[in-house]
Amino acid sequence: MKRKTSVFHFSLALGACMVLFGCQPKPTTTTGTTWALVPFEKADSVNPILLPGENIFDCPVLGKPVAWEIKDVFNPAAVVRENKVYLLFRAEDTVGRFAGTSRIGLATSDDGLHFSKMKEPILYPDNDSLKRYEWEGGVEDPRVVESEEGHYIMTYTAFDGTTARLLLATSPDLIHWSKQGAVLQGSHKDTWSKSGAIVARREGSKIVATKVNGKFWMYFGDTDLFAATSTDLLHWTPELENGKLKSVLKPRKGYFDSFLVESGPYALLTDAGIVLLYNGMNHNTQGDTTLAKGAYCGGQVLFAKNNPMQVVDRLETNFIRPDKPYEITGQVNQVCFLEGMVYFHDRWFLYYGTADSKIGVAVKP
């Protein structure tokens, strides 16, 4: 998520979105349906769990050292490996023209609450074939799942200053990454695209990408949500309708998600169906009046187990919202942005960006 660069994009899409979603009754409480992952409780005793720092990195594009995480850290992916939680976080310096260049760093934890950072980023713009997509806005907002073979697949967003594009990278160990290029190709290669959440199942503490009807599925987008399929997790084909990306989830007038919907972590395949935690932005004039204008909150939607484009159910209200000082005030105010989730020590840990400035965690028993 890069709200500071995509507000214009959101505004262009808003007119169409407002036509497409209908008036619905004002929600009052979360439905509490059994399929949903609720409740999560914020770990107030330790939050925020990750802050900006002063680590230095020799940027290959600039050809000089930069304090790559000095400004903000936020929007992390999370993975359990070798009984540790690995947090892959977005960090910004103060050098780039777009409020800093973003890179992806790594922190580890033995308990899911207290983290130690690596000194250098693990994924960053370089003088490679993807520089034209990644510089100088950077690389941001990772989401990670594991393949059946034990490799890690990361979706991330590259921003060149004009267009955000959804890209892929792979790794054997979460530290060394190989860039694989853009998710959208052909006539859609320059389409604004972000936030790729791959459908996966839980095996113990592992989150493993899983086929549905013979294909891997991914949800993506930051206005409506869209879908794409793959046979190998590397080459993806978007679902289309009349030559355009086919919407599978839309904003709702009068709700916390009235301006946009954007993928959270991976989509979790369960007995009830496919559970997707997502981020919703409140519309300034046609949203939930109990929330601040422009607030980002977390929602959940259930897609059919055998039809990933069919919505079965959706929570009426957000299950997490900005209500702490570090969530209310920051680079972008009023933000809880969900992006990483692990099952660790028999509990769910949900990691989220706070006001595009820090990182928090909420825990579900």
Side-chain angles (χ1 to χ4, degrees):
M1 175 183 60
K2 186 181 280 285
R3 286 169 294 276
K4 59 183 174 294
T5 56
S6 57
V7 168
F8 176 67
H9 168 72
F10 294 158
S11 298
L12 289 177
L14 177 60
C17 290
M18 295 300 292
V19 170
L20 289 171
F21 60 53
C23 293
Q24 302 182 47
K26 183 74 173 62
T28 55
T29 59
T30 300
T31 62
T33 47
T34 57
W35 58 265
L37 289 174
V38 290
F40 277 94
E41 295 183 3
K42 296 175 182 177
D44 292 332
S45 64
V46 294
N47 277 339
I49 59 168
L50 211 67
L51 305 175
E54 298 181 353
N55 283 319
I56 302 298
F57 164 69
D58 287 325
C59 175
V61 178
L62 293 174
K64 65 180 183 180
V66 296
W68 64 278
E69 53 151 352
I70 193 71
K71 180 172 165 286
D72 299 292
V73 296
F74 54 116
N75 295 5
V79 177
V80 175
R81 175 180 169 85
E82 297 175 347
N83 203 34
K84 292 184 178 182
V85 177
Y86 285 66
L87 202 65
L88 295 88
F89 60 91
R90 173 181 174 183
E92 290 180 333
D93 62 27
T94 57
V95 179
R97 289 179 294 158
F98 308 105
T101 297
S102 293
R103 299 173 181 86
I104 295 173
L106 181 65
T108 60
S109 172
D110 293 323
D111 63 3
L113 301 173
H114 303 88
F115 285 84
S116 298
K117 297 175 187 171
M118 290 183 59
K119 292 184 178 181
E120 296 189 346
I122 56 167
L123 192 76
Y124 46 85
D126 204 340
N127 295 308
D128 54 28
S129 63
L130 295 177
K131 178 181 175 181
R132 66 187 189 277
Y133 296 153
E134 297 177 351
W135 191 257
E136 66 184 277
V139 299
E140 60 190 61
D141 294 5
R143 291 154 174 87
V144 179
V145 297
E146 193 169 344
S147 72
E148 294 279 5
E149 297 75 25
H151 294 101
Y152 297 99
I153 312 296
M154 177 198 294
T155 61
Y156 68 97
T157 300
F159 185 65
D160 61 7
T162 302
T163 302
R165 294 177 177 86
L166 185 59
L167 271 60
L168 288 166
T170 57
S171 172
D173 57 10
L174 298 172
I175 297 173
H176 304 93
W177 290 90
S178 299
K179 297 176 183 179
Q180 301 294 334
V183 168
L184 298 183
Q185 300 287 339
S187 60
H188 295 281
K189 67 181 179 66
D190 293 324
T191 298
W192 185 284
S193 57
K194 304 179 67 182
S195 306
I198 294 173
V199 175
R201 69 184 186 277
R202 181 177 72 84
E203 286 190 0
S205 61
K206 293 184 176 181
I207 302 298
V208 183
T210 303
K211 289 182 177 179
V212 176
N213 297 332
K215 297 178 180 179
F216 296 107
W217 289 79
M218 178 197 298
Y219 300 104
F220 68 96
D222 65 343
T223 50
D224 294 12
L225 289 188
F226 309 103
T229 61
S230 172
T231 58
D232 62 2
L233 291 171
L234 298 180
H235 303 88
W236 293 85
T237 302
E239 295 292 315
L240 303 178
E241 187 173 58
N242 299 323
K244 298 182 179 180
L245 298 177
K246 179 178 175 60
S247 174
V248 298
L249 193 73
K250 297 179 180 295
R252 299 176 290 183
K253 185 177 180 179
Y255 284 60
F256 71 94
D257 50 12
S258 47
F259 190 87
L260 63 82
V261 289
E262 184 170 355
S263 306
Y266 52 84
L268 184 64
L269 183 61
T270 70
D271 290 340
I274 300 168
V275 179
L276 178 67
L277 280 62
Y278 68 92
N279 299 286
M281 184 180 179
N282 197 33
H283 191 273
N284 284 351
T285 60
Q286 301 182 56
D288 183 342
T289 57
T290 69
L291 293 171
K293 297 177 180 180
Y296 273 80
C297 303
Q300 297 188 36
V301 60
L302 181 71
F303 292 95
K305 189 172 184 179
N306 295 313
N307 183 357
M309 294 197 296
Q310 178 186 344
V311 174
V312 175
D313 200 1
R314 189 173 180 179
L315 293 188
E316 285 289 289
T317 64
N318 63 83
F319 72 98
I320 187 169
R321 65 170 67 190
D323 57 13
K324 308 297 182 183
Y326 52 86
E327 300 164 347
I328 294 172
T329 304
Q331 178 185 175
V332 179
N333 295 338
Q334 298 285 346
V335 175
C336 287
F337 192 84
L338 318 179
E339 200 160 308
M341 185 169 66
V342 295
Y343 192 75
F344 185 61
H345 294 175
D346 300 320
R347 296 185 295 171
W348 286 103
F349 289 70
L350 178 62
Y351 299 95
Y352 60 99
T354 69
D356 277 17
S357 302
K358 302 176 180 68
I359 293 173
V361 63
V363 182
K364 178 188 181 303

